[in-house]
Amino acid sequence: MNFSKIASGLSNVLTGGLADTVYDAIKTYFPPDMPMEEKGKIMLDLKRLELEKKQQSDQVLLDAEREITQRISELEGTAKDLRSLPIVGRMVLFARGSQRPIWGFYTIWLDYQWFTSWTLSEYQQKALIAINLLVLGFLFGERAVKNVAPWLIQAIEKRKESA
């Protein structure tokens, strides 16, 4: 989970439903003869206040994410910085760009060997599962891991049954 999702979730907890919560808390103090229009106006004002606070928190989150990105650029440099180095810079850019395909294809090869010809111990299988989850998570994100993990577990169980 990245910083943006965590901060956004925290923002929703702090501001989400604020108007309804405040309205529920103060409606018991309304005079019994208060017209519905006035109650509606109060609720509308509370919703407007909630929206303003939500916009403020979203802006703070956006600014924080920009600062983090800027700080990373300053500390680690950018691809533009690497291009200024004639040979080494291009080699580093190539290495950075080829990481995902290399790890992806290597993991595919490991899986192919595992499912077709290798006989691995339980410890080795667990290690290979960990490698798969790390590579899948890195290459395709959390959703890919959640979608593939049940199939992977099912394949291991079937292999144990057949052995």
Side-chain angles (χ1 to χ4, degrees):
M1 186 176 270
N2 63 17
F3 171 76
S4 178
K5 286 183 182 178
I6 293 170
S8 178
L10 182 61
S11 166
N12 288 340
V13 166
L14 295 176
T15 61
L18 179 66
D20 294 327
T21 305
V22 171
Y23 184 79
D24 288 341
I26 64 171
K27 73 180 178 183
T28 58
Y29 298 104
F30 289 161
D33 59 342
M34 180 181 245
M36 286 301 289
E37 295 83 27
E38 286 186 38
K39 290 179 184 178
K41 185 178 180 301
I42 291 171
M43 185 62 176
L44 194 61
D45 287 342
L46 289 171
K47 287 285 188 186
R48 182 186 50 76
L49 179 65
E50 180 182 5
L51 182 62
E52 286 175 9
K53 291 298 177 190
K54 179 75 173 132
Q55 287 173 340
Q56 288 173 356
S57 77
D58 287 347
Q59 186 61 44
V60 167
L61 292 174
L62 184 64
D63 292 343
E65 199 162 329
R66 279 190 195 135
E67 282 185 40
I68 289 171
T69 303
Q70 180 65 30
R71 180 135 172 97
I72 290 170
S73 296
E74 290 170 1
L75 292 174
E76 295 182 3
T78 62
K80 195 180 283 187
D81 298 335
L82 288 171
R83 285 189 201 133
S84 64
L85 301 171
I87 296 170
V88 175
R90 299 214 182 266
M91 287 173 49
V92 170
L93 284 174
F94 175 76
R96 275 177 40 180
S98 62
Q99 283 289 317
R100 287 180 182 213
I102 289 172
W103 282 108
F105 287 121
Y106 181 66
T107 305
I108 290 171
W109 179 79
L110 286 173
D111 289 342
Y112 176 76
Q113 293 297 323
W114 179 23
F115 289 121
T116 58
S117 60
W118 286 349
T119 304
L120 302 175
S121 70
E122 189 172 338
Y123 180 77
Q124 290 170 322
Q125 288 182 15
K126 286 181 182 179
L128 199 52
I129 291 169
I131 291 170
N132 271 283
L133 292 176
L134 288 170
V135 170
L136 284 173
F138 178 73
L139 293 178
F140 303 108
E142 180 183 356
R143 181 174 287 163
V145 173
K146 285 182 179 177
N147 290 340
V148 172
W151 289 351
L152 194 57
I153 292 168
Q154 190 178 28
I156 291 168
E157 289 173 357
K158 283 183 181 179
R159 188 159 181 166
K160 281 182 182 178
E161 290 172 4
S162 66

